[in-house]
């Protein structure tokens, strides 16, 4: 049964619904609970009905297996092919003797179209994830962004985005950027730009991870090439190679670049947090970023304790059980805290 609040879907376009696993499940194998949820959603937000219908049409005309094998560009082309098959609704002819009403309706329609055009073409959209949530976003240029928990991504309207591919990230996100063809007007490729705190990340086509938690910005490049610049060092750029990590602490100009093979930096994409001899402070920090919960280690004997293992990113029940079993402690959730208490042993 769906548990996401309705406002999670209010900014969704058809392709956003298509990429949502809960929506896919409803279209392909609906349960009574899912039918009730989406019927209530349509009644509460009738302005989203056409968007929902379009997304359902897309899913029913595509094979689910294709979504896992096609590249983002091929997937977008397949979506567009299906969209062209959707017939436009019939237009009702208004008699001439009702011209005054027609003029009023036309004015209202132009106003609505103008507002919708502004929202679609110019107004920005901010995608957000809650604690313990992960989201996959397909942008207009076929770039795919996987947004981690407790994060947000601001994207300009499609007309502005078409002129300059530029987004703003807070939290953590993994980018699979599609290389764009040469612009006939500009005679060059339109670079993709990510703004993260004071860092500006410029790419052509590549895969990389950006994290703005922990009072610093961390960029891991997996494939391709990216160019970094900082608001604190105008005019100076730094190129990153695959397998390198760049870090810039908040409010500091220096950018440190080091090689890495740590799989834990991007393991969150598969729903796991990996730790290798992590201190309790490091463990607490990551859990708070993902779940919004502060770990409290109650009692004595925690001083030299470290943690090695895996934790889930979207399952608080499993997280609690693993912590309890690993540390041999009782775990109690109190509002925004997870309190770990080791049992007392009598001599």
């Amino acid at each position: 049964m769906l548990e996401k609040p309705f406002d999670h879907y209010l900014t969704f376009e058809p392709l956003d619904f298509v990429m949502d696993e809960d929506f896919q499940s409803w279209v392909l194998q609906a349960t009574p609970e899912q039918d009730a949820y989406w019927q209530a959603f349509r009644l509460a937000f009738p302005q989203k009905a056409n968007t929902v219908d379009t997304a359902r049409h897309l899913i029913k005309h595509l094979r689910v297996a294709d979504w896992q094998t096609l590249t983002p560009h091929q997937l977008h082309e397949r979506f567009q092919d299906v969209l062209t098959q959707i017939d436009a609704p019939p237009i009702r002819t208004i008699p001439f003797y009702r011209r005054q009403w027609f003029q009023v309706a036309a004015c209202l329609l132009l106003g609505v179209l103008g507002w919708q055009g502004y929202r679609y073409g110019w107004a920005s959209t901010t995608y957000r994830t809650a604690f313990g949530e992960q989201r996959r976003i397909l942008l207009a240029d076929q770039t795919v962004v996987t947004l981690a928990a407790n994060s947000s991504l601001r994207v300009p309207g499609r007309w502005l985005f078409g002129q300059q591919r530029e987004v703003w990230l807070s939290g953590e996100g993994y980018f699979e950027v599609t290389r764009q063809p040469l612009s006939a007007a500009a005679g060059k490729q339109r670079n993709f730009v990510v703004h993260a705190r004071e860092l500006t990340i410029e790419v052509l086509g590549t895969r990389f991870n950006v994290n703005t938690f922990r009072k610093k910005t961390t960029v891991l490049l997996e494939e391709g090439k990216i160019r970094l610049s900082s608001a604190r060092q105008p005019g100076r750029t730094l190129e990153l190679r695959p397998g390198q990590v760049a870090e810039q602490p908040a409010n500091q100009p220096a950018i440190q670049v080091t090689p890495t093979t740590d799989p834990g930096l991007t393991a969150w994409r598969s729903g796991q947090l990996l730790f290798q001899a992590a201190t309790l402070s490091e463990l607490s920090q990551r859990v708070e970023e993902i779940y919004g919960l502060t770990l409290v280690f109650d009692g004595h004997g925690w001083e030299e304790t470290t943690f090695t293992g895996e934790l889930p990113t979207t399952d608080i029940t499993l997280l609690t059980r693993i912590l309890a079993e690993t540390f041999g402690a009782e775990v109690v959730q109190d509002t925004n805290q997870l309190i770990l208490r080791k049992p007392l042993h009598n001599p």
Side-chain angles (χ1 to χ4, degrees), residues 79-148:
F79 287 156
Q80 296 304 317
D81 290 341
V82 175
L83 283 172
T84 58
Q85 301 172 15
I86 301 178
D87 294 329
I91 300 176
R92 182 168 62 91
T93 302
I94 300 178
F96 178 80
Y97 64 84
R98 299 182 63 186
R99 182 173 58 183
Q100 182 177 0
W101 288 105
F102 172 78
Q103 292 173 346
V104 173
C107 291
L108 292 174
L109 178 61
L110 288 175
V112 171
L113 291 177
W115 170 244
Q116 292 295 332
Y118 166 76
R119 290 185 58 195
Y120 181 84
W122 299 105
S124 63
T125 298
T126 299
Y127 301 93
R128 292 186 174 88
T129 51
F131 288 114
E133 180 188 15
Q134 193 169 304
R135 184 173 177 182
R136 187 174 168 89
I137 303 164
L138 178 65
L139 302 183
D141 67 339
Q142 296 92 56
T143 289
V144 177
V145 183
T146 305
L147 204 58

Side-chain angles (χ1 to χ4, degrees), residues 24 26 91 99 117 124 150-151 164 167 218 283 301 322 345 347:
Q24 297 171 14
W26 171 58
I91 300 176
R99 182 173 58 183
S124 63
N150 186 28
S151 302
Q164 177 61 53
V167 298
T218 303
L283 173 64
I322 292 176
H345 298 283

Side-chain angles (χ1 to χ4, degrees), residues 178-191:
T178 302
R179 183 181 293 272
Q180 292 293 287
L182 291 175
S183 170
K188 62 179 182 180
Q189 290 173 318
R190 295 184 299 118
N191 293 354

Side-chain angles (χ1 to χ4, degrees), residues 168-202:
W168 286 259
L169 174 73
S170 176
E172 186 168 13
Y174 185 87
F175 293 80
E176 299 172 76
V177 179
T178 302
R179 183 181 293 272
Q180 292 293 287
L182 291 175
S183 170
K188 62 179 182 180
Q189 290 173 318
R190 295 184 299 118
N191 293 354
F192 190 97
V193 177
V194 179
H195 299 280
R197 287 187 184 271
E198 297 174 340
L199 273 185
T200 297
I201 307 159
E202 186 178 5

Side-chain angles (χ1 to χ4, degrees), residues 213-282:
F213 291 127
R214 284 156 279 182
K215 296 183 179 180
K216 63 181 179 181
T217 303
T218 303
V219 182
L220 166 65
L221 178 61
E222 284 196 342
E223 179 182 294
K225 184 173 67 174
I226 60 180
R227 185 181 301 115
L228 304 179
S229 60
S230 173
R232 290 186 170 271
Q233 293 182 316
R236 186 176 181 181
T237 61
L238 174 68
E239 288 190 353
L240 213 60
R241 297 179 181 179
Q244 289 184 325
V245 173
E247 290 187 353
Q248 183 189 39
N251 302 319
Q252 294 187 22
I255 301 175
Q256 298 179 346
V257 177
T258 57
T260 184
T261 57
D262 182 6
L265 293 176
T266 57
W268 63 268
R269 295 175 56 224
S270 59
Q272 297 293 327
L273 301 176
L274 302 185
F275 299 91
Q276 182 65 39
T279 66
L280 296 187
S281 176
E282 294 169 340

